[in-house]
Amino acid sequence: MKLTPDLHLHTTCSDGLLAPEQIVPRAQSRGLNLIAVTDHDTLSGLERVTAMPGITVVPGVELSASHAGREVHILGYGVSPEKTGLKHYLVALRAERRERAARMLTLLQKAGLMLSPDELDGISLAPGRMHVARLLIQKGYVKDTHEAFDRWLSKGKPGFVSHRPRVPSEVIRMLRADGIVPVLAHPARIKLDFLELEALLTVWQDAGLQGLEVYHRANEPFERYDRMAKSHGLLITGGSDFHGDPSHPDMGDLVAAWSNRDEDGHRFLEAVSHTLPQ
Ligand code: AMP
Ligand code: MN
Ligand code: MN
Ligand code: MN
């Protein structure tokens, strides 16, 4: 079977707008046959993803870490609620997210916006900046999420609160200890020069990193990252980072640009196969 993969998708369980039940039907209508759901810091959407013949769903997660003050996102593939290291980690992360959301709202209130710190209570298991952005739109303070990030939520702006810093190598080791396949998400977003990134890849590979998300919109032109993954012997993955909103690509949008998707997809599947139901 030829693979048409999209390995980076969010649902309403984190900051996406499509419910988990709607993910597979949409993947089918977009011609995909291999997908991964990768919500931020929660696995709660996974059991709600409905199965359909002909579409393989890899259960995943996206975790935030930081290196020298820069955000580093790690995708973990082959997760399951029984994996206890990850489970404990996620409980702590979500508590931090709730506190952080309230702190962001407090800062925005101090900056003069009519908001209260409890306004996002209960909105999501993993509340984040996207939820604050949508609240600012709803209240008429900004016209879209880009403006929300540019004016209020990006680093250095009045509502910014960083995640508690976590070392990428530790996140990677924690995932590997649970048999989960760690992949570095959208490397271009880290905004490091290539030599620095190459050096860090080596460090993170020593910790257990297995793949590089080459086919992500942020990485264009992709060839440099494709070469980098090959020279490091890393799996090559890709995905739209679908959130069901206009500020991210649509599901399957990266497939056309992913020239070796069949071969890369099969290598990826082999690496996660021990975690999938037989
Ligand atoms: P958080 O983990 O709470 O810091 O939120 C990060 C999320 O915000 C990312 O996963 C994206 O979905 C979204 N995001 C980050 N920067 C932007 C931006 N400039 N415009 C729109 N969405 C963004
Ligand atoms: Mn997101
Ligand atoms: Mn990310
Ligand atoms: Mn993402």
Side-chain angles (χ1 to χ4, degrees):
M1 188 185 53
K2 285 268 179 211
L3 295 177
T4 44
D6 187 334
L7 302 173
H8 191 154
L9 308 171
H10 295 273
T11 79
T12 44
C13 288
S14 64
D15 57 356
L17 293 179
L18 213 62
E21 292 83 357
Q22 297 171 289
I23 292 286
V24 171
R26 183 172 188 102
Q28 192 195 39
S29 75
R30 301 280 296 165
L32 302 170
N33 58 16
L34 171 61
I35 61 168
V37 173
T38 55
D39 274 316
H40 303 277
D41 302 345
T42 177
L43 311 183
S44 63
L46 297 171
E47 63 188 25
R48 290 171 50 197
V49 175
T50 39
M52 252 171 141
I55 299 187
T56 303
V57 182
V58 177
V61 72
E62 181 173 18
L63 302 175
S64 307
S66 74
H67 171 79
R70 294 159 196 266
E71 270 204 48
V72 176
H73 289 184
I74 314 279
L75 295 157
Y77 293 104
V79 302
S80 84
E82 294 82 49
K83 294 183 171 171
T84 49
L86 176 64
K87 193 165 132 186
H88 289 126
Y89 190 82
L90 293 180
V91 169
L93 281 185
R94 288 196 297 262
E96 286 170 31
R97 273 192 178 271
R98 287 191 294 273
E99 271 176 41
R100 173 176 176 252
R103 276 186 63 205
M104 287 194 272
L105 294 178
T106 305
L107 287 173
L108 291 170
Q109 189 185 33
K110 284 188 181 143
L113 306 193
M114 300 281 283
L115 295 166
S116 68
D118 58 0
E119 211 145 348
L120 288 175
D121 286 3
I123 188 111
S124 164
L125 286 163
R129 285 186 288 168
M130 214 61 207
H131 301 94
V132 180
R134 290 185 192 129
L135 182 66
L136 296 182
I137 296 170
Q138 198 189 315
K139 301 242 168 186
Y141 287 120
V142 294
K143 63 177 190 312
D144 56 24
T145 49
H146 282 297
E147 189 186 348
F149 278 85
D150 281 354
R151 282 181 59 194
W152 301 105
L153 303 173
S154 293
K155 196 169 181 179
K157 298 299 151 82
F160 179 76
V161 180
S162 62
H163 285 288
R164 204 182 106 192
R166 287 188 154 82
V167 179
S169 295
E170 283 172 16
V171 175
I172 291 165
R173 267 190 219 103
M174 180 273 297
L175 291 171
R176 278 305 285 276
D178 267 347
I180 297 162
V181 176
V183 170
L184 179 65
H186 41 67
R189 286 259 173 87
I190 314 173
K191 296 195 171 67
L192 291 165
D193 69 43
F194 271 41
L195 284 176
E196 280 178 293
L197 180 61
E198 296 253 18
L200 281 170
L201 279 183
T202 305
V203 172
W204 294 336
Q205 271 186 285
D206 285 346
L209 186 73
Q210 287 175 273
L212 188 65
E213 187 185 44
V214 171
Y215 294 92
H216 184 286
R217 188 171 67 177
N219 297 341
E220 279 179 280
F222 303 116
E223 291 71 26
R224 302 168 303 176
Y225 291 99
D226 196 281
R227 272 200 301 276
M228 200 182 283
K230 286 198 174 85
S231 74
H232 282 258
L234 287 163
L235 296 167
I236 292 170
T237 75
S240 57
D241 211 348
F242 175 77
H243 283 67
D245 66 14
S247 63
H248 296 84
D250 200 349
M251 208 186 275
D253 269 1
L254 267 293
V255 162
W258 186 353
S259 44
N260 250 334
R261 59 183 181 261
D262 189 47
E263 191 187 327
D264 297 339
H266 276 107
R267 277 187 62 215
F268 169 79
L269 262 181
E270 209 175 290
V272 297
S273 62
H274 67 284
T275 69
L276 298 177
Q278 293 309 306

